[in-house]
Amino acid sequence: MTSLHLRPVQFVDTPIGHPDGSVARLAGGMQWFAAYEVIERGARRTIPVADVATLGDRGAHLHAMITAPRAPLPLGERMLRFDQPLVAAILNVTPDSFSDGGKHVDDPAAAAAAGIDMAAAGATMIDVGGESTRPGAAAVWEGDEIARLVPVVERLARAGAIVSVDTRKAGVMAATLAAGAHIVNDVAALLWDDRALEVVAASGCPVVLMHSPDPREGGHGRTGYANVVTDVFDWLEARIAAVVAGGVDRTRIIVDPGIGFGKTLADNLALLNGLAIFHGLGCPILLGASRKRLIGALSNEAPVGDRLAGSLALALKGVEAGVQILRVHDVAETVQALRVWRGMRDLALVGG
């Protein structure tokens, strides 16, 4: 663990008109920034980007990670690029997920059709799950999870969709990758199943590593964070190193700060405000905040079905911080919001 962290701040509309070296591009994307918040041994200060060389080797390493373009991911005949924000559509084939549980269960053809509709609405990838990870959800036997997922994955893959599979189980990973899935999205960061890392490394597939304080116990345990933003960063940094040591190419790792998993409302809000720090990990960032409990907590306990506006607010918060992937339920609405945001960014970047 280290005592030095850098969070990009003072975002600017365009690099045009700024002296060379006074602004930096964030992760090869559409955002530019002029300064860093330096967090060191509990103290915070702000320095211009041009002064990052004063922060030694660790500062130089983080700056390089923050500014390096994210490598595109070849996925069969498709290519996943990270130079602008993407939408991952949530497709649950479960009876008990917190938002859409039961909507697509036991009907693979209808579930796949719903996924194709999401792709037509602008989703770049479809994230399919066969086991709920909401607090208190019952564990699902591996065989049942495979039976739920494989027929849906096969249909989506045949239709040309990029498919990620939301699972913690090595057997499910192997079965769905064989069925045509491209990406593993593991809320346990390959820690719940002792064989998960081996399966991912052998397949060469990209993997999403999500933070939770107790990945072997379901992800919702409470912990006392000294500083939730830097604690989550340090955990993910260590986990990336372990997964790379286990045979996974670093360029095929995506990180997720785990909004709602083992965090209080204050923790979640701090992570959302501090999202830009996670570019220091050098990996694309996935944000999964759609319809989550924190939206209800801030809006008179709005039920899950009434959290669209809050979900869009969090999605735009994410893209303003340079997040590359938004995992959402409301695809068409999120895509529309991103298109409007993109139009404004395009004009701003040329000085308009």
Side-chain angles (χ1 to χ4, degrees):
M1 302 299 178
T2 178
S3 60
L4 179 69
H5 300 82
L6 298 181
R7 180 171 71 95
V9 295
Q10 297 181 14
F11 286 81
V12 299
D13 285 340
T14 175
I16 297 172
H18 292 272
D20 289 348
S22 65
V23 296
R25 189 177 182 183
L26 186 63
M30 301 182 69
Q31 300 292 75
W32 293 74
F33 64 99
Y36 282 118
E37 179 185 49
V38 181
I39 306 169
E40 190 171 17
R41 297 183 182 89
R44 297 170 183 262
R45 57 193 170 97
T46 301
I47 66 167
V49 164
D51 290 351
V52 73
T54 65
L55 299 176
D57 291 345
R58 173 65 175 176
H61 168 77
L62 290 173
H63 178 68
M65 290 290 190
I66 289 166
T67 56
R70 302 301 178 244
L73 290 176
L75 304 171
E77 298 179 353
R78 303 288 298 278
M79 184 72 74
L80 196 61
R81 301 185 184 277
F82 299 110
D83 55 346
Q84 58 182 291
L86 310 173
V87 167
I90 298 169
L91 179 63
N92 287 318
V93 286
T94 59
D96 58 347
S97 289
F98 84 95
S99 178
D100 54 355
K103 189 174 182 181
H104 303 300
V105 70
D106 295 331
D107 193 342
I116 297 303
D117 287 345
M118 291 172 175
T124 300
M125 52 194 279
I126 312 300
D127 189 52
V128 188
E131 178 184 51
S132 175
T133 53
R134 64 178 175 79
V140 176
W141 177 55
E142 182 176 284
D144 288 341
E145 192 173 343
I146 290 171
R148 289 174 180 176
L149 290 171
V150 164
V152 180
V153 170
E154 288 176 338
R155 288 170 167 83
L156 290 171
R158 283 200 302 267
I162 295 176
V163 182
S164 62
V165 176
D166 182 0
T167 185
R168 304 175 292 178
K169 302 181 181 72
V172 179
M173 294 173 191
T176 52
L177 289 168
H182 304 90
I183 301 169
V184 166
N185 178 13
D186 185 0
V187 298
L190 306 181
L191 286 167
W192 191 84
D193 188 322
D194 291 337
R195 290 186 51 248
L197 176 54
E198 176 187 343
V199 168
V200 169
S203 75
C205 72
V207 60
V208 181
L209 304 177
M210 193 199 81
H211 171 272
S212 74
D214 60 345
R216 287 186 179 273
E217 302 299 328
H220 292 284
R222 293 297 185 188
T223 190
Y225 299 102
N227 178 313
V228 66
V229 177
T230 55
D231 286 359
V232 171
F233 182 100
D234 291 345
W235 189 95
L236 285 169
E237 188 172 42
R239 191 65 198 134
I240 290 167
V243 169
V244 170
V248 177
D249 191 310
R250 187 187 184 93
T251 64
R252 301 183 78 75
I253 295 174
I254 299 164
V255 295
D256 178 349
I259 301 298
F261 283 78
K263 285 102 177 170
T264 65
L265 174 60
D267 293 335
N268 288 319
L269 295 175
L271 286 169
L272 290 160
N273 282 330
L275 281 171
I277 200 173
F278 295 104
H279 293 290
L281 296 167
C283 302
I285 301 167
L286 181 148
L287 177 64
S290 176
R291 300 188 186 176
K292 286 199 170 173
R293 173 73 183 82
L294 75 100
I295 301 170
L298 294 171
S299 53
N300 298 317
E301 301 302 330
V304 170
D306 293 338
R307 296 177 185 173
L308 172 60
S311 297
L312 293 176
L314 296 181
L316 292 176
K317 178 71 172 179
V319 298
E320 285 289 311
V323 164
Q324 288 89 358
I325 306 173
L326 299 170
R327 183 177 180 272
V328 306
H329 299 86
D330 303 292
V331 173
E333 295 86 348
T334 306
V335 168
Q336 184 180 80
L338 287 183
R339 285 174 177 163
V340 173
W341 178 87
R342 172 68 189 269
M344 292 187 288
R345 291 300 302 144
D346 284 345
L347 186 61
L349 285 168
V350 297

